[in-house]
Amino acid sequence: MDVVEVLRRRMPWLLWAIPAVGLLAALVLVLGGAYTAAGVVAAAALLMVEPLRRITVAHLPVDLDEDEIDEIREVKLRQGEVAAIHRLRELRPATGLAAAVRTVRDL
């Protein structure tokens, strides 16, 4: 596995350090008595959580059992890759589109 592949897989998880550091900075500001600044920093850190969640979910690996793998392969052979992606997302609604595409292409 080359460096680019490792970074592509790890980068979404490393991005979670940004709001974590922001919340730690807010804690330091609260302890220092700067309550307004702490509220602004904490709000900014918390506003990053939803976009990061969307980025991270797309990279979560899809763990399928043997029956689901067989079903997805059958749909892929019979109806094509797009139908297999739709079927995978019906079976696992929380699966991101990018993860579903990677999973179907790897089968």
Side-chain angles (χ1 to χ4, degrees), residues 21-77:
V21 169
L23 290 174
L24 287 174
L27 179 63
V28 169
L29 288 170
V30 165
L31 294 176
Y35 302 113
T36 305
V40 171
V41 170
L46 292 175
L47 283 174
M48 292 185 67
V49 170
E50 178 61 21
L52 285 174
R53 185 194 64 81
R54 290 175 183 250
I55 292 169
T56 307
V57 166
H59 293 281
L60 289 175
V62 180
D63 187 28
L64 301 172
D65 61 18
E66 291 299 320
D67 294 334
E68 292 171 331
I69 290 172
D70 293 339
E71 182 179 350
I72 298 298
R73 281 184 182 148
E74 183 180 328
V75 170
K76 182 178 176 182
L77 289 174

Side-chain angles (χ1 to χ4, degrees), residues 6-7 9-21 52 56:
V6 170
L7 283 176
R9 289 186 182 273
R10 303 278 171 125
M11 188 58 70
W13 297 104
L14 294 175
L15 289 173
W16 281 94
I18 298 168
V21 169
L52 285 174
T56 307

